[in-house]
Amino acid sequence: MKMGNQSVISEFLLLGLPIEPEQQDLFYVLFLAMYVTTVLGNLLIVVLIRLDSHLHMPMYLFLSNLSFSDLCFSSVTMPKLLQNMQSQVPSIPYAGCLAQMYFFLLFADLESFLLVAMAYDRYVAICFPLHYTIIMSPRLCLSLVVLSWVLTTSISLLHTLLMAHLSFCADNVIPHFFCDMSALLKLACSDIQINEMVIFILGGLVIIVPFLLIFLSYARIVSSILKVPSARGIRKAFSTCGSHLSVVSLFYGTIIGLYLCPSDNNSTVKETVMAVMYTVVTPMLNPFIYSLRNQDIKGALGRIFSKWTIQFSLGEGF
Ligand SMILES: *[C@@H]1O[C@H](CO)[C@@H](O)[C@H](O)[C@H]1NC(C)=O
């Protein structure tokens, strides 16, 4: 059967970023700094929301989930990229490649579903403020998070099993910095029709449907604000939704730019730059977009730091 062919390739070569050798060190430092920032920023959000009981509200629990997802998402690609930038033979074993693809899809889709949950939460908060605590019960929040996990784990498992079914022959060079599903499909030497069909259908489910739901929520929010226009209401709505909308546009803007505006002639560089945008830049910016403009998070930071300072000075005293 196909086993004979499959065993031909035991590892892939990841070509990495299209940068000159003399700039390699500069980019290594840059990406290392971005990765450290991503990890610390998102970790801070998760810890802060866990520690501060003022932040135990649906909006912040979803945000904490999003930060956790961002942290994992960048850890799927960045450590391997950094390691490969330092090594002469940037290889990845066959199983490692499939695992990377699985977790990449898992956390990318999870982010998509969590953004829907967050948009729905804002929609309920602004359009039904009096029923907010009843509708967004802890049970519903947990169900939304669990549903997102169940959907994303099964979707990425399906993609990965279909990929594992393909055989790879001679060509094992991936012109990318991680095991991207479409880059892998181009290397396969068996029939990829089923894979492409599943990608088309599920791609619609995890990109288009969440995008439409988010769009719908914000359209309802805007129309409900315009019905009773007041300076205070508009300011409140913009301050809570502005940061959400920037994250949503950052996330979907790059994905849509990448997959819906394909350019076939020499597009590897463009694809890689876009991929860097959503695998490296978006997870790094998310915690800053949310916390820099958010009074609750700033307040929580202030409380934690003053508590630490007091404990520290008490400790000094003894
Ligand atoms: C994710 O959200 C659920 C439900 O709101 C919450 O119980 C859980 O603590 C959150 N997880 C993280 C890591 O923030």
Side-chain angles (χ1 to χ4, degrees), residues 46 49-50 58 60-66 68 138 141-143 145:
V46 172
I49 292 174
R50 170 80 12 130
Y60 295 113
L61 291 177
F62 289 138
L63 176 59
S64 156
N65 275 278
L66 187 74
F68 174 72
C141 295
L142 193 62
S143 317
V145 171

Side-chain angles (χ1 to χ4, degrees), residues 264-289:
D264 35 25
N265 50 341
N266 201 359
S267 60
T268 321
V269 173
K270 180 194 154 204
E271 271 176 27
T272 314
V273 171
M274 293 294 248
V276 166
M277 275 303 288
Y278 70 81
T279 54
V280 184
V281 179
T282 310
M284 181 181 73
L285 289 185
N286 278 357
F288 296 99
I289 292 177

Side-chain angles (χ1 to χ4, degrees), residues 103-170:
F103 287 109
F104 182 85
L105 293 173
L106 173 74
F107 290 111
D109 294 351
L110 188 61
E111 175 132 354
S112 193
F113 290 127
L114 286 175
L115 289 175
V116 177
M118 295 174 86
Y120 178 69
D121 169 71
R122 287 303 86 202
Y123 161 67
V124 176
I126 290 173
C127 297
F128 308 98
L130 299 179
H131 301 129
Y132 177 71
T133 41
I134 300 171
I135 300 178
M136 293 306 289
S137 62
R139 224 178 112 221
L140 179 70
C141 295
L142 193 62
S143 317
L144 286 176
V145 171
V146 171
L147 181 69
S148 308
W149 274 97
V150 170
L151 278 176
T152 61
T153 42
S154 18
I155 289 173
S156 37
L157 189 64
L158 178 62
H159 283 307
T160 311
L161 289 179
L162 283 174
M163 184 64 77
H165 197 70
L166 296 179
S167 44
F168 296 90
C169 310

Side-chain angles (χ1 to χ4, degrees), residues 44 47-52 297-311:
L44 180 68
V47 170
L48 204 60
I49 292 174
R50 170 80 12 130
L51 289 184
D52 198 306
I297 298 232
K298 279 188 204 160
L301 258 182
R303 279 192 292 275
I304 293 277
F305 275 115
S306 59
K307 210 160 100 190
W308 281 347
T309 323
I310 290 170
Q311 276 171 356

Side-chain angles (χ1 to χ4, degrees), residues 163-230:
M163 184 64 77
H165 197 70
L166 296 179
S167 44
F168 296 90
C169 310
D171 191 7
N172 70 339
V173 179
I174 302 176
H176 214 307
F177 64 92
F178 64 96
C179 288
D180 181 50
M181 185 163 55
S182 57
L184 275 176
L185 278 185
K186 283 182 197 146
L187 298 183
C189 57
S190 48
D191 188 17
I192 59 169
Q193 233 172 2
I194 298 175
N195 300 60
E196 283 183 326
M197 199 181 70
V198 171
I199 290 174
F200 183 74
I201 296 169
L202 291 184
L205 183 69
V206 299
I207 298 176
I208 311 287
V209 172
F211 182 73
L212 288 181
L213 287 175
I214 291 171
F215 185 79
L216 207 67
S217 304
Y218 285 111
R220 298 285 292 271
I221 290 174
V222 169
S223 78
S224 95
I225 294 169
L226 292 184
K227 249 184 251 158
V228 204
S230 74

